Amino acid sequence: MPLTAEAIQKLKEKMKGKGFKLTGPRRKILEYLAENDGHPSAQEIHAAIRQMLPGTGMATIYRTMDLLARLGLVRALVLNDNRLHYEIDRDGDHHHHLICTGCRRVEEFASCTFEHLIGDIESATRFVVKRHDLEAYGLCPDCAHKARCAGE
Amino acid sequence: MPLTAEAIQKLKEKMKGKGFKLTGPRRKILEYLAENDGHPSAQEIHAAIRQMLPGTGMATIYRTMDLLARLGLVRALVLNDNRLHYEIDRDGDHHHHLICTGCRRVEEFASCTFEHLIGDIESATRFVVKRHDLEAYGLCPDCAHKARCAGE
DNA sequence: AAATAAATGATAATCGGTCTCATTTACCTT
DNA sequence: AAGGTAAATGAGACCGATTATCATTTATTT
């Protein structure tokens, strides 16, 4: 479910509000992320942006993603394939990722009982817990089926 | 709590039992990991091994850690600092990590009530979950204190 | 429209990790 | 205990993702 035009507008305004220029590449990157949900890598974003704005350099993608992450508009994901992936940070939407080690498909799942444990962990360790990442790796239904058919 | 000499012996035998040679570097790496608990990166392991076995190459560290991980003697950890970290896999000891974003200190915490979440995820998504990573990020007591003193 | 600071594109540099290959070594076999 | 053999090592080339540099361009301010 892509973001609405108003939501996209809000992202752009948050950017300008913090004193950052709303440039061509930044505008396109925001639109791309908002209109396609998924978990693209910098390379994938670069390829997509180049279709609309040829000549956009890789460095700009990295710089912009870093900025968006610092602004809290985007989250960086470690999916264990030696590159960072990104997703729009829909506020209030807490979820985690399930990565198929067969085909690299990424699914999201919402249920997270971890929140309930944070208090216990904090009192046991005296840490102040800010955030947490949870990724589960396994086989998607298709790949699990194929694996089963291939015997063992 | 470092591993006992017998436990270290067991690791070495598991290695030989699977048909892998117990070489100098491998022996030292196992001993290092067993005697120091912590979550060292390949670079840290390399530095430590070189003190005992100068001339040990970086590639050997990577190859050995990969082997140990495949044998299930060691687990690789993603602690969000662009490099893998490793820890001895004490069998039956399921825990997760709490990373201080201030000083990079890593603490462990056990997650007892967490396991059934995996079952929920499997039935909701029809994935077969093989493994999962959970890391919590925050501030350790020291860094939290410093942050508080520095005023918000 | 000009001034100015920030952002960009091109490209070099860095850095974790992998690959290659000639040499060495653990561990059979005798 | 020496010798044979495949596996493991060390050195260094290589790779791919990310970061840094710097001259040029551009969004905003005046």
Side-chain angles (χ1 to χ4, degrees), chain B residues 36 91 149:
Chain B
N36 305 274
D91 29 40
C149 290

Side-chain angles (χ1 to χ4, degrees), chain A residues 2-21:
Chain A
L3 260 59
T4 63
E6 302 88 71
I8 298 178
Q9 197 50 36
K10 222 171 240 173
L11 293 177
K12 293 179 184 169
E13 267 148 30
K14 198 173 277 186
M15 182 144 218
K16 292 187 72 170
K18 299 259 185 170
F20 296 100
K21 293 182 182 174

Side-chain angles (χ1 to χ4, degrees), chain B residues 26-47:
Chain B
R26 286 176 178 176
R27 192 188 304 271
K28 290 297 181 199
I29 290 172
L30 276 175
E31 288 168 5
Y32 169 72
L33 291 173
E35 286 163 10
N36 305 274
D37 15 55
H39 313 85
S41 63
Q43 283 75 3
E44 289 169 316
I45 297 168
H46 185 229

Side-chain angles (χ1 to χ4, degrees), chain B residues 26-121:
Chain B
R26 286 176 178 176
R27 192 188 304 271
K28 290 297 181 199
I29 290 172
L30 276 175
E31 288 168 5
Y32 169 72
L33 291 173
E35 286 163 10
N36 305 274
D37 15 55
H39 313 85
S41 63
Q43 283 75 3
E44 289 169 316
I45 297 168
H46 185 229
I49 299 307
R50 255 170 179 279
Q51 307 227 340
M52 313 187 254
L53 224 62
T56 304
M58 199 68 224
T60 296
I61 307 294
Y62 284 114
R63 281 182 296 228
T64 302
M65 296 321 292
D66 183 63
L67 174 64
L68 294 178
R70 277 185 290 117
L71 290 177
L73 304 181
V74 143
R75 223 171 319 151
L77 311 176
V78 175
L79 303 182
N80 254 9
D81 64 347
N82 317 328
R83 52 174 59 73
L84 281 179
H85 291 249
Y86 301 90
E87 69 180 2
I88 282 271
D89 188 85
R90 294 162 150 80
D91 29 40
D93 172 24
H94 186 67
H95 64 262
H96 295 288
H97 300 94
L98 191 45
I99 300 107
C100 176
T101 53
C103 64
R104 285 276 140 200
R105 191 143 77 79
V106 179
E107 203 103 331
E108 302 182 353
F109 63 88
S111 60
C112 350
T113 58
F114 191 68
E115 293 313 315
H116 75 288
L117 174 56
I118 300 298
D120 294 347
I121 294 168

Side-chain angles (χ1 to χ4, degrees), chain A residues 17-38:
Chain A
K18 299 259 185 170
F20 296 100
K21 293 182 182 174
L22 189 52
T23 62
R26 287 176 178 175
R27 192 188 305 273
K28 289 298 182 198
I29 289 173
L30 276 175
E31 287 168 6
Y32 169 72
L33 291 171
E35 285 163 10
N36 305 274
D37 14 54

